[in-house]
Amino acid sequence: MDSILQSPFCNASLLAGLLFLFMGYMIRRYPPRSMKTWYGYRTFSSTINQDTWNEGNRYAAYISRWLGWLLVPFGILMGLVFRRQSELFLYLTVTPVIVGALLLAGFTEWHLLQVFDEDGLPRNKNGGNQKPAV
């Protein structure tokens, strides 16, 4: 068991990439229907109303899968390049995971700001708010 954990193929980029792929697939396949579910993309912007919740989770699942497809090959490459785990190996495999998590949140929040205003109302194509139907 120790040899598996000490192998360079047991690295943060590969494991987190697989987790990102799994999370993205599961949220896409089984989207959280309500904000009360135990899983989903949960931030202030995504929990304003049901529309922001649905869009935030849809987009976060897309970005999560995209990041997973980048992290998995990078983790495999790091396993091939390094013979053993070292401090440099640790930095090179953990840093992309941290950057990926920040990109996931950043891109999703930016997307929500482009689609909805601060009150959770949809923006029209000109950047203003759509008037609610009476």
Side-chain angles (χ1 to χ4, degrees), residues 27-28 53-63 65 111:
I27 290 176
R28 180 177 177 224
W53 174 255
N54 293 339
E55 183 63 21
N57 278 283
R58 185 197 64 77
Y59 196 77
Y62 167 76
I63 296 295
R65 290 188 320 270
H111 176 74

Side-chain angles (χ1 to χ4, degrees), residues 2-63:
D2 286 336
S3 63
I4 293 172
L5 294 177
Q6 293 173 354
S7 166
F9 287 100
C10 183
N11 65 61
S13 290
L14 182 58
L15 298 175
L18 292 171
L19 184 63
F20 274 110
L21 282 173
F22 177 74
M23 287 182 341
Y25 170 77
M26 291 304 289
I27 290 176
R28 180 177 177 224
R29 180 76 174 100
Y30 306 104
R33 304 227 186 274
S34 117
M35 290 177 260
K36 294 181 182 180
T37 55
W38 61 273
Y39 70 99
Y41 180 78
R42 190 178 319 276
T43 62
F44 178 75
S45 300
S46 67
T47 57
I48 294 174
N49 60 40
Q50 191 64 40
D51 291 335
T52 59
W53 174 255
N54 293 339
E55 183 63 21
N57 278 283
R58 185 197 64 77
Y59 196 77
Y62 167 76
I63 296 295

Side-chain angles (χ1 to χ4, degrees), residues 7-128:
S7 166
F9 287 100
C10 183
N11 65 61
S13 290
L14 182 58
L15 298 175
L18 292 171
L19 184 63
F20 274 110
L21 282 173
F22 177 74
M23 287 182 341
Y25 170 77
M26 291 304 289
I27 290 176
R28 180 177 177 224
R29 180 76 174 100
Y30 306 104
R33 304 227 186 274
S34 117
M35 290 177 260
K36 294 181 182 180
T37 55
W38 61 273
Y39 70 99
Y41 180 78
R42 190 178 319 276
T43 62
F44 178 75
S45 300
S46 67
T47 57
I48 294 174
N49 60 40
Q50 191 64 40
D51 291 335
T52 59
W53 174 255
N54 293 339
E55 183 63 21
N57 278 283
R58 185 197 64 77
Y59 196 77
Y62 167 76
I63 296 295
S64 180
R65 290 188 320 270
W66 182 78
L67 288 169
W69 285 117
L70 291 176
L71 287 172
V72 168
F74 183 76
I76 292 171
L77 178 66
M78 290 294 104
L80 293 171
V81 169
F82 285 87
R83 294 266 185 238
R84 62 181 183 81
Q85 294 181 2
S86 64
E87 193 171 325
L88 178 61
F89 172 82
L90 176 71
Y91 292 138
L92 288 176
T93 58
V94 170
T95 301
V97 175
I98 295 169
V99 170
L102 293 173
L103 286 173
L104 172 67
F107 282 147
T108 305
E109 291 300 306
W110 179 81
H111 176 74
L112 288 173
L113 286 173
Q114 299 304 307
V115 176
F116 299 100
D117 67 5
E118 59 276 350
D119 296 323
L121 298 172
R123 295 184 188 270
N124 64 21
K125 294 192 189 326
N126 298 330

